[in-house]
Amino acid sequence: MDNRQRLIVNGGKRLEGELRVQGAKNSALPLLSAAVLAHGESVFHNCPQLSDADADCRILTNLGCKCRRSADTVVVDATNVVGSEIPDNLMREMRGSIVFLGSVLGRTGRCRLSFPGGCELGARPIDLHLSALRQMGAEISEEHGYLDCTAPSGLHGAKITLSFPSVGATENILLAAATAKGFTEIHNAAREPEIIDLADCLNKFGAKIRGAGESVIEAEGVERLFAGEHTVIPDRIVAGTYLCAAAITRGEIILTNCAPQHLNGFTPVLEAMGASIYSYGGGKMYLNCKKRIQAPPTIRTMPYPGFPTDIQAPFTALCSTAEGTSVFVETIFENRFRHISELVRLGASIKVEGRVCVVEGVKTLSGAKLRAAELRGGAALVIAALAAEGTSEISGVSYIERGYESIETALRSVGADIKKV
Ligand code: EPZ
């Protein structure tokens, strides 16, 4: 990734037109991990073309799988998984790689990986992952920054209660439980659509998982999984990001290849702000926002089906030009307001107190030089720049491209004046 790349945005253009929503990054990553469990060649459609997905393919190759992509179809041949180590450089590239722990353990009986570093959002501990896998028979030693995991007599089912409905921990448990001996119950499981997508795919591969999407998930271990074909669900956070971009420019947009039912955590907020939104068949979603948006009632990020933490940053950008004052409470991550100081450079009037952020809407923003420091915060800067008068320049593009397939091409196709240099 060339870190010198920048996005140049000339704001003030109204977005209107049709945008196709890419496959979900946070579903593709665990699905590519699930491929390790399948003896044979698995095919994944609608797999977004992102640096994070490419990193996953490098991990798969490193484990002995053959991984090839054509457009948004990724084929993984996991007939011969020979390795069980995820090298430090690949772990550092993407902490989401922790979700290989469950599948590599399940397939090979061991896994060695470096501790996934914290990230821009805070510590990102993995204690829930490790305690669950230990309950399933894994022996895990943590030393010199490495995790050495073995399951000498294989993994066995367990009744696991998560103190927090962690998405990653739920995914790792499902991946380990699919071929563990006996029954696994997960209580207080994450309910995100990506969990349902993973369970659907594992079941296509021969697993016996019930209840995904609810707080209690049951899995009956099977001997082995066989390869199959799966289409990744649409990315609900990318969809929400585009809706915010259209709304802040008082635009009109149709999203295609979208899953409207996955957006219920935040589309009511957009309606409360004065946007008119409706979904009509075939995965289409329509938004029209003819006038200046109004500040919404307090927004509190919650596990699914609540308001998603990943869409908080794009909404703080949208609210920066709303009429009235908005309050955000970030209950999931301890440090997810890093983009606020950049929004203030555009003229936004925002105060952060710990996990609370108060956004006093201003009538106009004016272009500035901005720096993205993480994925969703970077998307928020793009959204605000679209509405700012004059030119904005956003560096740290590689962060944004971890989650958004060529965001500048997508936005330009609906009228934004944006280019990458
Ligand atoms: C997934 O991260 C997503 N990443 C995140 O999206 C998303 O923000 C998050 O879920 C919440 O929805 C992927 O799917 C690759 P968690 P994950 O485990 O699994 C604490 C994006 O922008 N926790 O549900 O890491 C943790 O510190 C990314 O696409 C523990 O304390 O999220 C955090 O405060 C950012 N111990 C909270 O739970 C653990 O063992 C939520 O974490 C695990 C988590």
Side-chain angles (χ1 to χ4, degrees):
M1 283 173 275
D2 176 352
N3 287 331
R4 291 188 311 279
Q5 288 181 317
R6 286 160 299 134
L7 294 174
I8 310 293
V9 182
N10 289 312
K13 306 286 181 305
R14 192 169 173 276
L15 297 196
E16 49 186 320
E18 191 170 293
L19 266 182
R20 183 185 181 283
V21 177
Q22 69 189 56
K25 165 180 84 81
N26 291 348
S27 193
L29 298 180
L31 290 172
L32 289 170
S33 168
V36 170
L37 290 164
H39 292 252
E41 190 172 79
S42 301
V43 181
F44 298 97
H45 301 291
N46 200 33
C47 208
Q49 302 181 52
L50 299 168
S51 49
D52 273 9
D54 298 343
D56 257 17
C57 287
R58 283 197 289 281
I59 289 172
L60 288 165
T61 309
N62 193 61
L63 293 168
C65 304
K66 294 190 192 69
C67 195
R68 67 179 189 279
R69 172 192 281 275
S70 54
D72 59 0
T73 293
V74 174
V75 179
V76 182
D77 184 344
T79 308
N80 306 303
V81 173
V82 292
S84 61
E85 175 156 352
I86 299 170
D88 187 50
N89 62 311
L90 289 177
M91 273 307 292
R92 285 187 182 285
E93 200 173 323
M94 179 183 60
R95 65 171 316 284
S97 319
I98 187 66
V99 83
F100 275 95
L101 184 49
S103 60
V104 172
L105 258 184
R107 176 69 188 263
T108 68
R110 57 172 302 113
C111 183
R112 179 174 156 76
L113 48 79
S114 67
F115 226 86
C119 72
E120 313 77 25
L121 311 179
R124 304 295 289 275
I126 56 169
D127 54 309
L128 301 178
H129 299 240
L130 302 186
S131 57
L133 292 172
R134 284 183 171 120
Q135 276 185 260
M136 297 175 75
E139 288 166 22
I140 303 174
S141 68
E142 307 165 43
E143 56 211 13
H144 315 306
Y146 262 86
L147 287 173
D148 238 322
C149 314
T150 54
S153 43
L155 294 169
H156 56 75
K159 180 176 178 182
I160 297 160
T161 297
L162 291 171
S163 57
F164 178 86
S166 154
V167 172
T170 304
E171 290 165 348
N172 254 331
I173 298 166
L174 286 178
L175 290 162
T179 56
K181 292 182 200 64
F183 273 92
T184 298
E185 279 180 27
I186 312 172
H187 292 258
N188 195 23
R191 296 174 52 195
E192 274 71 2
E194 292 77 29
I195 301 293
I196 301 172
D197 206 25
L198 175 60
D200 287 350
C201 176
L202 288 169
N203 285 340
K204 274 185 203 167
F205 290 7
K208 291 180 181 168
I209 297 168
R210 283 189 313 283
E214 301 304 321
S215 291
V216 178
I217 304 178
E218 294 173 346
E220 181 186 349
V222 296
E223 187 59 36
R224 65 164 38 188
L225 299 187
F226 40 85
E229 198 154 353
H230 187 76
T231 298
V232 181
I233 55 170
D235 194 310
R236 57 198 169 92
I237 305 302
V238 169
T241 304
Y242 288 154
L243 292 176
C244 288
I248 201 169
T249 61
R250 303 188 194 177
E252 187 171 11
I253 196 167
I254 293 177
L255 299 180
T256 61
N257 185 47
C258 172
Q261 69 278 18
H262 296 163
L263 314 185
N264 289 334
F266 56 86
T267 41
V269 178
L270 288 168
E271 287 176 315
M273 296 172 80
S276 54
I277 290 191
Y278 50 87
S279 59
Y280 45 105
K284 287 189 173 160
M285 187 109 205
Y286 170 82
L287 172 137
N288 187 353
C289 196
K290 288 207 179 320
K291 52 195 184 313
R292 185 182 180 194
I293 37 166
Q294 306 296 313
T298 294
I299 290 179
R300 188 172 278 103
T301 62
M302 294 299 279
Y304 197 90
F307 188 95
T309 172
D310 291 348
I311 205 74
Q312 172 257 103
F315 266 78
T316 55
L318 175 59
C319 289
S320 65
T321 62
E323 186 153 4
T325 298
S326 317
V327 178
F328 290 79
V329 185
E330 172 54 60
T331 73
I332 307 291
F333 289 105
E334 66 251 19
N335 178 17
R336 202 163 196 178
F337 289 128
R338 292 185 53 179
H339 58 287
I340 296 297
S341 54
E342 294 301 300
L343 291 178
V344 169
R345 291 166 67 89
L346 289 167
S349 173
I350 306 177
K351 298 268 181 304
V352 173
E353 284 290 326
R355 289 188 178 227
V356 178
C357 156
V358 180
V359 181
E360 202 183 322
V362 294
K363 267 187 86 57
T364 53
L365 299 173
S366 47
K369 278 197 178 192
L370 307 168
R371 167 167 292 285
E374 47 98 7
L375 163 56
R376 308 299 175 189
L381 302 184
V382 174
I383 288 168
L386 291 172
E389 287 173 359
T391 305
S392 297
E393 191 180 293
I394 302 167
S395 57
V397 180
S398 56
Y399 287 107
I400 300 171
E401 290 183 340
R402 289 188 51 189
Y404 296 87
E405 271 180 3
S406 59
I407 193 167
E408 76 282 357
T409 311
L411 293 175
R412 200 164 46 235
S413 73
V414 287
D417 179 348
I418 178 172
K419 63 181 183 291
K420 183 163 71 172
V421 298

